[in-house]
Amino acid sequence: MARIIVVTSGKGGVGKTTSSAAIGTGLALKGFKTVIIDFDIGLRNLDLIMGVERRVVYDFVNVINGDSNLNQTMIKDKRVDGLYILPASQTRDKDALTREGVERVLNELSETFDYIICDSPAGIEQGALMALYFADEAIVVTNPEVSSVRDSDRILGILASKSKRAEEGKDAVKEHLLLTRYNPGRVQRGDMLSVEDVCEILAVKMIGVIPESQAVLRASNVGEPVILDEQSDAGQAYLDTIERLLGNQVEYRFIEEEKKGIFKRLFGG
Amino acid sequence: MSDSTIELKGSAFTLSVLHIQSNNVVAVAEALASKIAQAPQFFLMAPIVVNVDKLNGEVIDFALLKQQLESLKLVPVGISGANDEQKVAARAVGLACLSTAKEQHPQPQQQNNDGQQTQIRYERVEVPVEVEVPTYKPAQVLRQNLRSGQQIYARDTDLVVIGTVSNGAEVIADGNIHIYGSLRGRAIAGAQGNAEAKIFAQKIEAELVSINGTYWTSEQLTQCWKKSGCISLSGDSLAVSDLEV
């Protein structure tokens, strides 16, 4: 049985797809057979971030409608073994997803995969609800600013009341908080909420803090998940996040502003 | 296809029952008319059942009886206490034959002084109605955080939240509200009118607090901001008091 993890946020543009790509790739690097599903029907982005947009033939809606099978539709990543992408349809809208259809696809994937990552669209409508409905775990992506935190709070409430686990009265969806675009310098100057502020407001266990980084934009533009850029701070932060997701204790990095003092210049950092 | 057009259900109704002791329809109608004159509004278009038990099986002109009742602005529904012969006659003029849950045998009343033959007795067939007796209703206790967009209403009771009420969440109670985490959303106590209701919170950062319709927004909560406190109604405005002993 696969673990179904939804990457969601409520608010758009906070880094859901970047995080889905990084986390899916990271789990595959660890040897787990992983599929990332793009639930953002009509605004497909995952295939771009993963650099597979030229290989999309069929999509998620085709599979649900029975026009194609999973083997025809899933795109196998050429960089990492055991990593597959199920792209969204560009031409349909979110109502094309039916609960029965999504369940059937997830059940079929569950038989062969270890992890299913559901990349949720923004908002709290049909598409987002469908992405989180079958989840066992949820990674809530939040930026350190008030509107993003508020929307994350909303989505946490929906996870606790409208997911399949909630409706069937099973164990609650396991919630993780992933803070992205974190800039310690701006936090120190009071322009941004700190890790502690966000944790206090949302009261959810933190799983990672990804620093604001040029590497993320670069990775998106070349279509390579940032986690493969092991030299970058964001890539390393995602690798730490994967360790925590797998239950390992890892010290947080990149949450303090780098001191550019004379000692650091002399002796290196 | 659809079954939603009709629905058949059993219900019990309170009906006036007219007990007649004479088969003289005109005499009955006269006696009834004088009775109705005492409270015309009460009887106007009232459904009525005729009990013919006291006639001891005597035949009565049901067609005339029905016509007389209708002319008195009553709505004859049916008869009760009838034997088979009477039932057949009643059905012929479109009256239903009703049987009471337990057949009653009221004592014959004394004759009126003027020797009137007809006795009219009104009997209310009482249907047991659940009477709301104010009883102790335990508080609604929630051991969770209430997220933005969630709303909880504790009807007729107190609400206890062992957790935080986020911005954009709303807690409402007809009684008191106790919050053992931070109150960042809205709290509305005494929602159905209760000036004695209070709001207790460990950390007040509320968007809005309201008691019995009197409210404060966060702008008026500066004195207790991020502190614990008890918010109550004092005269026409709200007041905050310390929770420290």
Side-chain angles (χ1 to χ4, degrees):
Chain A
M1 274 299 280
R3 292 293 283 173
I4 302 175
I5 303 177
V6 60
V7 178
T8 185
S9 70
K11 192 167 159 59
V14 296
K16 283 183 296 296
T17 302
T18 298
S19 297
S20 297
I23 289 164
T25 307
L27 287 167
L29 283 171
K30 283 280 175 184
F32 296 104
K33 197 176 177 196
T34 304
V35 56
I36 314 172
I37 306 177
D38 191 349
F39 272 80
D40 204 348
I41 310 297
L43 291 168
R44 64 173 227 230
N45 284 155
L46 180 69
D47 49 315
L48 289 170
I49 305 279
M50 294 296 294
V52 297
E53 77 274 14
R54 288 155 198 262
R55 295 168 61 200
V56 175
V57 181
Y58 295 108
D59 58 55
F60 192 21
V61 174
N62 289 139
V63 182
I64 283 176
N65 292 344
D67 305 332
S68 63
N69 65 35
L70 275 171
N71 285 333
Q72 290 172 305
T73 313
M74 281 193 300
I75 303 167
K76 188 178 185 309
D77 190 89
K78 287 180 175 169
R79 296 157 296 211
V80 184
D81 256 357
L83 178 61
Y84 293 80
I85 293 104
L86 188 51
S89 171
Q90 183 76 289
T91 51
R92 307 294 291 271
D93 60 42
K94 292 180 175 71
D95 298 331
L97 297 180
T98 62
R99 193 172 276 183
E100 295 71 28
V102 171
E103 185 168 31
R104 187 168 48 75
V105 172
L106 290 178
N107 284 343
E108 198 176 331
L109 290 169
S110 275
E111 289 168 15
T112 48
F113 282 88
D114 300 311
Y115 282 97
I116 299 171
I117 309 294
C118 303
D119 180 22
S120 170
I124 52 170
E125 283 85 34
Q126 170 83 348
L129 295 181
M130 202 62 82
L132 65 79
Y133 185 72
F134 296 99
D136 299 309
E137 298 185 38
I139 295 176
V140 177
V141 183
T142 307
N143 288 168
E145 52 91 26
V146 282
S147 64
S148 174
V149 171
R150 178 76 64 92
D151 291 358
S152 294
D153 194 58
R154 183 86 169 94
I155 215 83
L156 284 163
I158 290 171
L159 277 164
S161 59
K162 292 204 176 142
S163 62
K164 186 163 185 266
R165 282 173 169 268
E167 282 183 1
E168 292 178 356
K170 292 189 193 159
D171 291 345
V173 176
K174 196 171 172 191
E175 299 157 344
H176 310 281
L177 185 63
L178 180 64
L179 200 55
T180 56
R181 299 199 167 160
Y182 195 71
N183 185 329
R186 295 185 64 189
V187 171
Q188 208 157 47
R189 288 191 294 276
D191 302 342
M192 244 185 204
L193 295 174
S194 68
V195 172
E196 292 76 29
D197 291 340
V198 177
C199 279
E200 202 213 320
I201 297 171
L202 292 179
V204 171
K205 201 162 168 14
M206 187 74 80
I207 198 172
V209 178
I210 313 299
E212 194 166 42
S213 167
Q214 293 301 317
V216 173
L217 187 63
R218 192 169 56 238
S220 297
N221 286 332
V222 298
E224 192 167 286
V226 71
I227 200 167
L228 293 174
D229 184 358
E230 287 169 32
Q231 301 303 312
S232 69
D233 47 359
Q236 290 172 21
Y238 274 117
L239 285 167
D240 290 354
T241 302
I242 295 297
E243 292 296 333
R244 293 189 199 100
L245 188 61
L246 297 173
N248 303 321
Q249 292 279 340
V250 186
E251 275 292 305
Y252 277 94
R253 297 188 271 178
F254 319 112
I255 58 174
E256 300 291 336
E257 192 173 19
E258 274 186 58
K259 304 265 190 312
K260 294 234 171 71
I262 181 122
F263 289 104
K264 182 145 185 174
R265 283 187 199 157
L266 285 174
F267 304 113
Chain B
M1 284 297 287
S2 171
D3 287 331
S4 61
T5 326
I6 60 154
E7 211 176 346
L8 275 174
K9 282 182 173 177
S11 282
F13 298 94
T14 302
L15 292 174
S16 296
V17 180
L18 171 69
H19 291 259
I20 55 172
Q21 295 173 9
S22 158
N23 62 353
N24 182 346
V25 177
V26 178
V28 168
E30 274 173 16
L32 187 57
S34 69
K35 196 82 185 171
I36 288 173
Q38 295 168 14
Q41 281 304 312
F42 180 78
F43 290 101
L44 187 64
M45 298 314 280
I48 193 156
V49 174
V50 181
N51 188 309
V52 295
D53 196 29
K54 304 257 174 55
L55 295 179
N56 297 320
E58 278 182 73
V59 199
I60 185 167
D61 186 346
F62 282 114
L64 183 62
L65 178 66
K66 190 180 173 200
Q67 187 205 326
Q68 289 289 335
L69 292 174
E70 280 167 352
S71 70
L72 290 167
K73 298 249 180 347
L74 292 167
V75 182
V77 181
I79 60 161
S80 68
N83 63 20
D84 290 344
E85 196 185 345
Q86 289 167 324
K87 280 180 183 170
V88 173
R91 286 193 183 117
V93 299
L95 288 169
C97 297
L98 309 172
S99 50
T100 45
K102 66 174 185 199
E103 284 293 336
Q104 291 170 336
H105 299 282
Q107 296 293 312
Q109 285 197 331
Q110 275 197 328
Q111 296 238 322
N112 285 348
N113 294 341
D114 56 10
Q116 200 177 339
Q117 292 258 302
T118 311
Q119 288 282 330
I120 301 166
R121 262 175 25 92
Y122 290 93
E123 188 179 311
R124 297 233 117 198
V125 183
E126 292 297 341
V127 181
V129 177
E130 289 213 5
V131 180
E132 271 192 46
V133 183
T135 49
Y136 169 74
K137 205 174 166 199
Q140 187 175 342
V141 182
L142 288 173
R143 192 177 277 274
Q144 67 176 88
N145 294 321
L146 288 169
R147 304 289 185 179
S148 176
Q150 288 183 308
Q151 192 185 48
I152 296 290
Y153 175 32
R155 185 184 291 278
D156 300 326
T157 187
D158 291 359
L159 178 65
V160 180
V161 180
I162 304 170
T164 286
V165 178
S166 292
N167 284 102
E170 195 168 70
V171 286
I172 308 167
D174 289 339
N176 305 310
I177 296 176
H178 304 254
I179 309 215
Y180 287 89
S182 300
L183 169 58
R184 302 197 183 101
R186 293 162 165 245
I188 294 153
Q192 279 191 33
N194 175 4
E196 294 303 309
K198 292 175 180 62
I199 297 168
F200 305 84
Q202 278 295 339
K203 197 172 175 189
I204 300 170
E205 300 169 74
E207 290 172 348
L208 179 139
V209 289
S210 165
I211 291 168
N212 202 19
T214 307
Y215 65 89
W216 268 355
T217 58
S218 50
E219 287 177 356
Q220 286 130 309
L221 286 165
T222 43
Q223 51 181 316
C224 56
W225 199 249
K226 295 199 174 185
K227 291 184 209 149
S228 66
C230 163
I231 297 157
S232 57
L233 194 57
S234 160
D236 287 342
S237 86
L238 298 183
V240 194
S241 58
D242 248 349
L243 280 186
E244 308 298 324
V245 186

